[in-house]
Amino acid sequence: MSTGTTKLDVVVSDVVPVNDLVTRFHFRRRDGQLLPTFSGGAHVVVEMRDGERTRLNPYSLMGSPLDTREYTISVRRDDVGRGGSLFMHNQVRPGLEMVVSYPVNLFSLDLRAKKHLMLAGGIGITPFMAQTTQLAAEGGNFELHYTCRTASLGTYADVLRERYDRRVRLYHDDLGERIELDRLLSSQPLGTHLYVCGPAGMIGWVRDRAAALGWPSETVHFEHFAAPQPGAPFDVTLAISGKTIRVGEQQSLLEAIEAAGVDPPYLCRGGVCGQCETNVISADGKFIHNDHWLTEEEHRSGKKIMPCVSRFEGRSLVLER
Amino acid sequence: MAAKSIISRPVYGTLSPQLGRHHLFVADAEGARAISDMAAKAPAGFFTDAHIIYIAGSGSEANVVALEALGPAQFYQGPSFASALPRLKQTLTNAHMGLRVYLAGTEGLIGQAMQAALEAGIDHTSMLTEHRGSLARRMQCVHCKGITENVTTQPAACSHCGLLLLVRDHYSRRIAAFQGVCINAEDRSEIPPIEEAFP
């Protein structure tokens, strides 16, 4: 059902290689109309029809929120992932008709902030492309710190430096450059909000230091697109729809539920938004919770599961749905 | 505390030590005891990064001794909120992220200190508050916009235009005051019984 995400019929208008790992995709509406407006930090879920299989991956919109003639996303190729990014890189060509969701923003700017401090790691730069465009248009006060492995993998680093000059600071891992995080966080004026998007380790590090240094949690925003982890296949019974299904090794529980013809709500497909939360009716086995949504107590209770990223090992599992 | 009839009516908590680089306290005589109570739960050395702004009012000297004994980096004592405001604003202007704000005492004190901190960019949900002492309200007359301090009765007369006002639970963080609305607009000779509602 993808709550709040009515679908858009689009056509791929351009495919642009950015560097060794990243390719940019442009979408326009098939009917030639403007696309729905969005705010910096929003993502769309892209449907990929790969033979028998439909993949649904979320990608941040990186174009200008002020120009809705097209949506642009950047996809980092993951050769050992579950295949969504490889499908985008290998199968998607200009002219291909695709379906994307309406934009959803789970990483929006808090426009009450006096200053916006942004920390990006790797492909985590994409939401900041749109956010900086939005803020620059409004004369907003922002500062972007961007870490990448090497200069050549600094996706859009040159674009950002050209647009915003010294408001962008780059750090290259291969040169041993590292964000001086404590000093950076401690020198920000009162009323600053912090935004971080990148690998899970970076998000954890930044959130921990910010909390330790007295940043109220309301001022710390983060986004992490966790891909569902593979694991041993398991069987699930869905109580309301009366179906018993098998979740494959490379399939997420949410995908298996969708493949069985049940249409559960979702927004992020990454274990952070809470939309797909499902009640557990009974379980005999062990949960592998990979989400950031449920509390530790809820994880231990065995009463709830986030089917987009979490798995199960054991004899039986019955879910409401 | 008054019943929660309107959602804008502030809800207060209990002060507790937060992680942070600096800690700014604003308290009046009653609120000073909330700081002392919190200090019992604070880790050693907590107050070495603290700044206490104490508005004595007619409060006792014993509070000053207790607060100074906590060993704050800075301690200020003033007779009224107005006298402390320039110092509060200056502190907020120079502050960086990592400053935590703790407000304790009457609603009027908490509200006005919060107003200054809001202007400096701190979200109201990020501040710790503890209500102590009188329930007296700071009230804005919705007709003449005048503010009357320390309103304890219901209804209450506006000290600016003289209208008799119903003191509502409708609270404005922007002006740090409850709203007072004329209670006898149809017939000004009608004077309902005046009760001590916010002792």
Side-chain angles (χ1 to χ4, degrees), chain B residues 115-148:
Chain B
Q115 184 186 29
L118 287 170
E119 280 169 19
I122 306 179
D123 192 81
H124 73 97
T125 55
S126 303
M127 303 181 211
L128 284 99
T129 58
E130 183 166 339
H131 179 243
R132 293 267 182 134
S134 166
L135 295 167
R137 292 182 172 192
R138 200 171 124 88
M139 172 186 75
Q140 184 196 46
C141 171
V142 304
H143 309 282
C144 79
K145 308 300 176 195
I147 302 251
T148 305

PDB file of all heavy atoms in Angstrom, chain B residues 115-148:
ATOM      1  N   GLN B 115      11.805  32.457  27.158  1.00  0.00           N
ATOM      2  CA  GLN B 115      11.607  33.375  26.030  1.00  0.00           C
ATOM      3  C   GLN B 115      12.967  33.872  25.509  1.00  0.00           C
ATOM      4  O   GLN B 115      13.215  33.876  24.301  1.00  0.00           O
ATOM      5  CB  GLN B 115      10.758  34.541  26.528  1.00  0.00           C
ATOM      6  CG  GLN B 115      10.361  35.567  25.509  1.00  0.00           C
ATOM      7  CD  GLN B 115       9.644  36.734  26.203  1.00  0.00           C
ATOM      8  OE1 GLN B 115       9.897  37.034  27.374  1.00  0.00           O
ATOM      9  NE2 GLN B 115       8.750  37.374  25.482  1.00  0.00           N
ATOM     10  N   ALA B 116      13.857  34.234  26.421  1.00  0.00           N
ATOM     11  CA  ALA B 116      15.186  34.710  26.012  1.00  0.00           C
ATOM     12  C   ALA B 116      15.976  33.587  25.345  1.00  0.00           C
ATOM     13  O   ALA B 116      16.662  33.798  24.341  1.00  0.00           O
ATOM     14  CB  ALA B 116      15.952  35.240  27.227  1.00  0.00           C
ATOM     15  N   ALA B 117      15.856  32.367  25.892  1.00  0.00           N
ATOM     16  CA  ALA B 117      16.596  31.235  25.331  1.00  0.00           C
ATOM     17  C   ALA B 117      16.028  30.823  23.977  1.00  0.00           C
ATOM     18  O   ALA B 117      16.769  30.419  23.083  1.00  0.00           O
ATOM     19  CB  ALA B 117      16.568  30.058  26.305  1.00  0.00           C
ATOM     20  N   LEU B 118      14.708  30.927  23.817  1.00  0.00           N
ATOM     21  CA  LEU B 118      14.083  30.621  22.520  1.00  0.00           C
ATOM     22  C   LEU B 118      14.615  31.559  21.448  1.00  0.00           C
ATOM     23  O   LEU B 118      14.923  31.142  20.334  1.00  0.00           O
ATOM     24  CB  LEU B 118      12.556  30.766  22.589  1.00  0.00           C
ATOM     25  CG  LEU B 118      11.773  29.704  23.347  1.00  0.00           C
ATOM     26  CD1 LEU B 118      10.311  30.151  23.513  1.00  0.00           C
ATOM     27  CD2 LEU B 118      11.816  28.370  22.625  1.00  0.00           C
ATOM     28  N   GLU B 119      14.717  32.833  21.790  1.00  0.00           N
ATOM     29  CA  GLU B 119      15.230  33.812  20.831  1.00  0.00           C
ATOM     30  C   GLU B 119      16.674  33.494  20.450  1.00  0.00           C
ATOM     31  O   GLU B 119      17.108  33.775  19.336  1.00  0.00           O
ATOM     32  CB  GLU B 119      15.137  35.229  21.404  1.00  0.00           C
ATOM     33  CG  GLU B 119      13.738  35.819  21.282  1.00  0.00           C
ATOM     34  CD  GLU B 119      13.569  37.100  22.076  1.00  0.00           C
ATOM     35  OE1 GLU B 119      14.599  37.732  22.416  1.00  0.00           O
ATOM     36  OE2 GLU B 119      12.408  37.451  22.358  1.00  0.00           O
ATOM     37  N   ALA B 120      17.407  32.884  21.380  1.00  0.00           N
ATOM     38  CA  ALA B 120      18.804  32.534  21.096  1.00  0.00           C
ATOM     39  C   ALA B 120      18.895  31.254  20.272  1.00  0.00           C
ATOM     40  O   ALA B 120      19.995  30.857  19.877  1.00  0.00           O
ATOM     41  CB  ALA B 120      19.565  32.371  22.405  1.00  0.00           C
ATOM     42  N   GLY B 121      17.749  30.572  20.040  1.00  0.00           N
ATOM     43  CA  GLY B 121      17.753  29.407  19.159  1.00  0.00           C
ATOM     44  C   GLY B 121      17.627  28.075  19.863  1.00  0.00           C
ATOM     45  O   GLY B 121      17.801  27.039  19.242  1.00  0.00           O
ATOM     46  N   ILE B 122      17.324  28.068  21.154  1.00  0.00           N
ATOM     47  CA  ILE B 122      17.167  26.794  21.855  1.00  0.00           C
ATOM     48  C   ILE B 122      15.701  26.389  21.817  1.00  0.00           C
ATOM     49  O   ILE B 122      14.827  27.180  22.168  1.00  0.00           O
ATOM     50  CB  ILE B 122      17.637  26.894  23.316  1.00  0.00           C
ATOM     51  CG1 ILE B 122      19.069  27.432  23.359  1.00  0.00           C
ATOM     52  CG2 ILE B 122      17.535  25.549  24.012  1.00  0.00           C
ATOM     53  CD1 ILE B 122      19.605  27.573  24.763  1.00  0.00           C
ATOM     54  N   ASP B 123      15.435  25.175  21.400  1.00  0.00           N
ATOM     55  CA  ASP B 123      14.068  24.695  21.348  1.00  0.00           C
ATOM     56  C   ASP B 123      13.536  24.510  22.769  1.00  0.00           C
ATOM     57  O   ASP B 123      14.271  24.073  23.653  1.00  0.00           O
ATOM     58  CB  ASP B 123      14.029  23.362  20.597  1.00  0.00           C
ATOM     59  CG  ASP B 123      12.613  22.967  20.251  1.00  0.00           C
ATOM     60  OD1 ASP B 123      12.102  23.489  19.252  1.00  0.00           O
ATOM     61  OD2 ASP B 123      12.021  22.152  20.991  1.00  0.00           O
ATOM     62  N   HIS B 124      12.250  24.818  22.966  1.00  0.00           N
ATOM     63  CA  HIS B 124      11.723  24.726  24.335  1.00  0.00           C
ATOM     64  C   HIS B 124      11.772  23.304  24.871  1.00  0.00           C
ATOM     65  O   HIS B 124      11.915  23.088  26.069  1.00  0.00           O
ATOM     66  CB  HIS B 124      10.306  25.303  24.408  1.00  0.00           C
ATOM     67  CG  HIS B 124       9.264  24.446  23.770  1.00  0.00           C
ATOM     68  ND1 HIS B 124       8.485  23.581  24.485  1.00  0.00           N
ATOM     69  CD2 HIS B 124       8.874  24.323  22.490  1.00  0.00           C
ATOM     70  CE1 HIS B 124       7.652  22.953  23.667  1.00  0.00           C
ATOM     71  NE2 HIS B 124       7.878  23.383  22.444  1.00  0.00           N
ATOM     72  N   THR B 125      11.709  22.316  23.965  1.00  0.00           N
ATOM     73  CA  THR B 125      11.759  20.927  24.433  1.00  0.00           C
ATOM     74  C   THR B 125      13.177  20.535  24.879  1.00  0.00           C
ATOM     75  O   THR B 125      13.357  19.491  25.494  1.00  0.00           O
ATOM     76  CB  THR B 125      11.317  19.959  23.315  1.00  0.00           C
ATOM     77  OG1 THR B 125      12.122  20.204  22.151  1.00  0.00           O
ATOM     78  CG2 THR B 125       9.861  20.162  22.946  1.00  0.00           C
ATOM     79  N   SER B 126      14.166  21.359  24.543  1.00  0.00           N
ATOM     80  CA  SER B 126      15.543  21.044  24.924  1.00  0.00           C
ATOM     81  C   SER B 126      15.931  21.628  26.281  1.00  0.00           C
ATOM     82  O   SER B 126      17.052  21.446  26.732  1.00  0.00           O
ATOM     83  CB  SER B 126      16.522  21.587  23.873  1.00  0.00           C
ATOM     84  OG  SER B 126      16.233  21.074  22.603  1.00  0.00           O
ATOM     85  N   MET B 127      15.017  22.375  26.886  1.00  0.00           N
ATOM     86  CA  MET B 127      15.346  22.981  28.187  1.00  0.00           C
ATOM     87  C   MET B 127      14.729  22.158  29.306  1.00  0.00           C
ATOM     88  O   MET B 127      13.668  21.576  29.136  1.00  0.00           O
ATOM     89  CB  MET B 127      14.768  24.400  28.261  1.00  0.00           C
ATOM     90  CG  MET B 127      15.236  25.305  27.139  1.00  0.00           C
ATOM     91  SD  MET B 127      14.505  26.959  27.346  1.00  0.00           S
ATOM     92  CE  MET B 127      14.387  27.446  25.620  1.00  0.00           C
ATOM     93  N   LEU B 128      15.401  22.142  30.451  1.00  0.00           N
ATOM     94  CA  LEU B 128      14.831  21.465  31.610  1.00  0.00           C
ATOM     95  C   LEU B 128      14.166  22.492  32.502  1.00  0.00           C
ATOM     96  O   LEU B 128      14.738  23.558  32.757  1.00  0.00           O
ATOM     97  CB  LEU B 128      15.923  20.707  32.361  1.00  0.00           C
ATOM     98  CG  LEU B 128      16.271  19.436  31.588  1.00  0.00           C
ATOM     99  CD1 LEU B 128      17.515  19.645  30.775  1.00  0.00           C
ATOM    100  CD2 LEU B 128      16.382  18.257  32.504  1.00  0.00           C
ATOM    101  N   THR B 129      12.962  22.167  32.949  1.00  0.00           N
ATOM    102  CA  THR B 129      12.229  23.114  33.788  1.00  0.00           C
ATOM    103  C   THR B 129      11.687  22.396  35.019  1.00  0.00           C
ATOM    104  O   THR B 129      11.421  21.202  34.987  1.00  0.00           O
ATOM    105  CB  THR B 129      11.031  23.708  33.022  1.00  0.00           C
ATOM    106  OG1 THR B 129      10.173  22.639  32.586  1.00  0.00           O
ATOM    107  CG2 THR B 129      11.479  24.513  31.805  1.00  0.00           C
ATOM    108  N   GLU B 130      11.573  23.153  36.078  1.00  0.00           N
ATOM    109  CA  GLU B 130      10.916  22.608  37.271  1.00  0.00           C
ATOM    110  C   GLU B 130      10.147  23.740  37.942  1.00  0.00           C
ATOM    111  O   GLU B 130      10.726  24.771  38.294  1.00  0.00           O
ATOM    112  CB  GLU B 130      11.936  21.996  38.239  1.00  0.00           C
ATOM    113  CG  GLU B 130      11.274  21.367  39.451  1.00  0.00           C
ATOM    114  CD  GLU B 130      12.210  20.457  40.252  1.00  0.00           C
ATOM    115  OE1 GLU B 130      13.229  19.981  39.705  1.00  0.00           O
ATOM    116  OE2 GLU B 130      11.900  20.234  41.443  1.00  0.00           O
ATOM    117  N   HIS B 131       8.846  23.537  38.102  1.00  0.00           N
ATOM    118  CA  HIS B 131       8.028  24.569  38.735  1.00  0.00           C
ATOM    119  C   HIS B 131       8.085  24.442  40.249  1.00  0.00           C
ATOM    120  O   HIS B 131       7.877  23.363  40.791  1.00  0.00           O
ATOM    121  CB  HIS B 131       6.572  24.457  38.255  1.00  0.00           C
ATOM    122  CG  HIS B 131       5.681  25.467  38.883  1.00  0.00           C
ATOM    123  ND1 HIS B 131       4.625  25.113  39.691  1.00  0.00           N
ATOM    124  CD2 HIS B 131       5.715  26.813  38.844  1.00  0.00           C
ATOM    125  CE1 HIS B 131       4.039  26.239  40.127  1.00  0.00           C
ATOM    126  NE2 HIS B 131       4.681  27.265  39.609  1.00  0.00           N
ATOM    127  N   ARG B 132       8.414  25.540  40.890  1.00  0.00           N
ATOM    128  CA  ARG B 132       8.433  25.561  42.361  1.00  0.00           C
ATOM    129  C   ARG B 132       7.790  26.864  42.812  1.00  0.00           C
ATOM    130  O   ARG B 132       7.910  27.888  42.148  1.00  0.00           O
ATOM    131  CB  ARG B 132       9.871  25.539  42.888  1.00  0.00           C
ATOM    132  CG  ARG B 132      10.621  24.257  42.630  1.00  0.00           C
ATOM    133  CD  ARG B 132      10.490  23.293  43.799  1.00  0.00           C
ATOM    134  NE  ARG B 132      11.257  22.085  43.565  1.00  0.00           N
ATOM    135  CZ  ARG B 132      12.049  21.518  44.467  1.00  0.00           C
ATOM    136  NH1 ARG B 132      12.197  22.058  45.667  1.00  0.00           N
ATOM    137  NH2 ARG B 132      12.684  20.403  44.189  1.00  0.00           N
ATOM    138  N   GLY B 133       7.142  26.811  43.940  1.00  0.00           N
ATOM    139  CA  GLY B 133       6.621  28.034  44.532  1.00  0.00           C
ATOM    140  C   GLY B 133       5.248  28.409  44.020  1.00  0.00           C
ATOM    141  O   GLY B 133       4.462  27.556  43.607  1.00  0.00           O
ATOM    142  N   SER B 134       4.982  29.684  44.030  1.00  0.00           N
ATOM    143  CA  SER B 134       3.651  30.216  43.748  1.00  0.00           C
ATOM    144  C   SER B 134       3.153  29.830  42.363  1.00  0.00           C
ATOM    145  O   SER B 134       3.938  29.614  41.437  1.00  0.00           O
ATOM    146  CB  SER B 134       3.711  31.742  43.855  1.00  0.00           C
ATOM    147  OG  SER B 134       2.551  32.309  43.288  1.00  0.00           O
ATOM    148  N   LEU B 135       1.814  29.755  42.230  1.00  0.00           N
ATOM    149  CA  LEU B 135       1.184  29.502  40.935  1.00  0.00           C
ATOM    150  C   LEU B 135       0.873  30.806  40.212  1.00  0.00           C
ATOM    151  O   LEU B 135       0.218  30.807  39.172  1.00  0.00           O
ATOM    152  CB  LEU B 135      -0.113  28.709  41.125  1.00  0.00           C
ATOM    153  CG  LEU B 135       0.039  27.283  41.675  1.00  0.00           C
ATOM    154  CD1 LEU B 135      -1.323  26.737  42.106  1.00  0.00           C
ATOM    155  CD2 LEU B 135       0.652  26.375  40.626  1.00  0.00           C
ATOM    156  N   ALA B 136       1.298  31.932  40.795  1.00  0.00           N
ATOM    157  CA  ALA B 136       0.976  33.244  40.223  1.00  0.00           C
ATOM    158  C   ALA B 136       1.342  33.299  38.743  1.00  0.00           C
ATOM    159  O   ALA B 136       2.376  32.779  38.328  1.00  0.00           O
ATOM    160  CB  ALA B 136       1.718  34.334  40.982  1.00  0.00           C
ATOM    161  N   ARG B 137       0.456  33.931  37.968  1.00  0.00           N
ATOM    162  CA  ARG B 137       0.640  33.940  36.514  1.00  0.00           C
ATOM    163  C   ARG B 137       1.024  35.312  35.985  1.00  0.00           C
ATOM    164  O   ARG B 137       0.636  36.330  36.536  1.00  0.00           O
ATOM    165  CB  ARG B 137      -0.665  33.510  35.820  1.00  0.00           C
ATOM    166  CG  ARG B 137      -0.997  32.073  36.077  1.00  0.00           C
ATOM    167  CD  ARG B 137      -2.251  31.659  35.342  1.00  0.00           C
ATOM    168  NE  ARG B 137      -2.438  30.216  35.470  1.00  0.00           N
ATOM    169  CZ  ARG B 137      -3.308  29.512  34.762  1.00  0.00           C
ATOM    170  NH1 ARG B 137      -4.089  30.123  33.882  1.00  0.00           N
ATOM    171  NH2 ARG B 137      -3.411  28.221  34.918  1.00  0.00           N
ATOM    172  N   ARG B 138       1.774  35.273  34.901  1.00  0.00           N
ATOM    173  CA  ARG B 138       2.035  36.459  34.105  1.00  0.00           C
ATOM    174  C   ARG B 138       0.933  36.461  33.059  1.00  0.00           C
ATOM    175  O   ARG B 138       0.725  35.474  32.359  1.00  0.00           O
ATOM    176  CB  ARG B 138       3.399  36.272  33.431  1.00  0.00           C
ATOM    177  CG  ARG B 138       4.073  37.507  32.955  1.00  0.00           C
ATOM    178  CD  ARG B 138       5.495  37.095  32.534  1.00  0.00           C
ATOM    179  NE  ARG B 138       5.735  37.477  31.156  1.00  0.00           N
ATOM    180  CZ  ARG B 138       6.208  38.667  30.807  1.00  0.00           C
ATOM    181  NH1 ARG B 138       6.502  39.563  31.722  1.00  0.00           N
ATOM    182  NH2 ARG B 138       6.388  38.955  29.541  1.00  0.00           N
ATOM    183  N   MET B 139       0.198  37.560  32.960  1.00  0.00           N
ATOM    184  CA  MET B 139      -1.004  37.589  32.121  1.00  0.00           C
ATOM    185  C   MET B 139      -0.931  38.731  31.118  1.00  0.00           C
ATOM    186  O   MET B 139      -0.574  39.855  31.461  1.00  0.00           O
ATOM    187  CB  MET B 139      -2.238  37.758  33.020  1.00  0.00           C
ATOM    188  CG  MET B 139      -3.543  38.002  32.267  1.00  0.00           C
ATOM    189  SD  MET B 139      -4.916  38.351  33.389  1.00  0.00           S
ATOM    190  CE  MET B 139      -4.538  40.035  33.874  1.00  0.00           C
ATOM    191  N   GLN B 140      -1.315  38.408  29.869  1.00  0.00           N
ATOM    192  CA  GLN B 140      -1.445  39.465  28.877  1.00  0.00           C
ATOM    193  C   GLN B 140      -2.914  39.764  28.669  1.00  0.00           C
ATOM    194  O   GLN B 140      -3.724  38.848  28.474  1.00  0.00           O
ATOM    195  CB  GLN B 140      -0.832  39.053  27.524  1.00  0.00           C
ATOM    196  CG  GLN B 140      -0.881  40.212  26.531  1.00  0.00           C
ATOM    197  CD  GLN B 140      -0.662  39.779  25.091  1.00  0.00           C
ATOM    198  OE1 GLN B 140      -1.239  38.818  24.617  1.00  0.00           O
ATOM    199  NE2 GLN B 140       0.181  40.520  24.383  1.00  0.00           N
ATOM    200  N   CYS B 141      -3.278  41.039  28.705  1.00  0.00           N
ATOM    201  CA  CYS B 141      -4.639  41.457  28.380  1.00  0.00           C
ATOM    202  C   CYS B 141      -4.765  41.420  26.855  1.00  0.00           C
ATOM    203  O   CYS B 141      -4.005  42.097  26.158  1.00  0.00           O
ATOM    204  CB  CYS B 141      -4.893  42.868  28.901  1.00  0.00           C
ATOM    205  SG  CYS B 141      -6.448  43.576  28.316  1.00  0.00           S
ATOM    206  N   VAL B 142      -5.709  40.610  26.340  1.00  0.00           N
ATOM    207  CA  VAL B 142      -5.798  40.481  24.880  1.00  0.00           C
ATOM    208  C   VAL B 142      -6.348  41.767  24.251  1.00  0.00           C
ATOM    209  O   VAL B 142      -6.266  41.948  23.049  1.00  0.00           O
ATOM    210  CB  VAL B 142      -6.667  39.285  24.435  1.00  0.00           C
ATOM    211  CG1 VAL B 142      -6.163  37.994  25.041  1.00  0.00           C
ATOM    212  CG2 VAL B 142      -8.128  39.514  24.745  1.00  0.00           C
ATOM    213  N   HIS B 143      -6.893  42.658  25.077  1.00  0.00           N
ATOM    214  CA  HIS B 143      -7.515  43.881  24.548  1.00  0.00           C
ATOM    215  C   HIS B 143      -6.485  45.001  24.418  1.00  0.00           C
ATOM    216  O   HIS B 143      -6.326  45.581  23.353  1.00  0.00           O
ATOM    217  CB  HIS B 143      -8.685  44.289  25.434  1.00  0.00           C
ATOM    218  CG  HIS B 143      -9.624  43.139  25.675  1.00  0.00           C
ATOM    219  ND1 HIS B 143     -10.540  42.726  24.736  1.00  0.00           N
ATOM    220  CD2 HIS B 143      -9.727  42.272  26.720  1.00  0.00           C
ATOM    221  CE1 HIS B 143     -11.188  41.654  25.212  1.00  0.00           C
ATOM    222  NE2 HIS B 143     -10.708  41.363  26.412  1.00  0.00           N
ATOM    223  N   CYS B 144      -5.734  45.291  25.495  1.00  0.00           N
ATOM    224  CA  CYS B 144      -4.767  46.391  25.425  1.00  0.00           C
ATOM    225  C   CYS B 144      -3.335  45.881  25.274  1.00  0.00           C
ATOM    226  O   CYS B 144      -2.424  46.673  25.077  1.00  0.00           O
ATOM    227  CB  CYS B 144      -4.871  47.293  26.655  1.00  0.00           C
ATOM    228  SG  CYS B 144      -4.064  46.621  28.128  1.00  0.00           S
ATOM    229  N   LYS B 145      -3.148  44.559  25.352  1.00  0.00           N
ATOM    230  CA  LYS B 145      -1.837  43.887  25.220  1.00  0.00           C
ATOM    231  C   LYS B 145      -0.905  44.143  26.403  1.00  0.00           C
ATOM    232  O   LYS B 145       0.253  43.712  26.383  1.00  0.00           O
ATOM    233  CB  LYS B 145      -1.109  44.277  23.918  1.00  0.00           C
ATOM    234  CG  LYS B 145      -1.941  44.111  22.657  1.00  0.00           C
ATOM    235  CD  LYS B 145      -2.388  42.690  22.469  1.00  0.00           C
ATOM    236  CE  LYS B 145      -3.295  42.589  21.241  1.00  0.00           C
ATOM    237  NZ  LYS B 145      -4.024  41.320  21.220  1.00  0.00           N
ATOM    238  N   GLY B 146      -1.390  44.833  27.424  1.00  0.00           N
ATOM    239  CA  GLY B 146      -0.553  45.072  28.598  1.00  0.00           C
ATOM    240  C   GLY B 146      -0.324  43.783  29.376  1.00  0.00           C
ATOM    241  O   GLY B 146      -1.169  42.895  29.410  1.00  0.00           O
ATOM    242  N   ILE B 147       0.845  43.692  29.985  1.00  0.00           N
ATOM    243  CA  ILE B 147       1.185  42.497  30.783  1.00  0.00           C
ATOM    244  C   ILE B 147       1.044  42.837  32.260  1.00  0.00           C
ATOM    245  O   ILE B 147       1.545  43.864  32.721  1.00  0.00           O
ATOM    246  CB  ILE B 147       2.633  42.057  30.496  1.00  0.00           C
ATOM    247  CG1 ILE B 147       2.797  41.757  29.006  1.00  0.00           C
ATOM    248  CG2 ILE B 147       3.051  40.914  31.414  1.00  0.00           C
ATOM    249  CD1 ILE B 147       2.958  40.347  28.601  1.00  0.00           C
ATOM    250  N   THR B 148       0.353  41.977  32.973  1.00  0.00           N
ATOM    251  CA  THR B 148       0.230  42.122  34.420  1.00  0.00           C
ATOM    252  C   THR B 148       0.963  40.955  35.069  1.00  0.00           C
ATOM    253  O   THR B 148       0.721  39.804  34.730  1.00  0.00           O
ATOM    254  CB  THR B 148      -1.255  42.101  34.836  1.00  0.00           C
ATOM    255  OG1 THR B 148      -1.950  43.117  34.096  1.00  0.00           O
ATOM    256  CG2 THR B 148      -1.410  42.366  36.326  1.00  0.00           C
TER     257      THR B 148
END
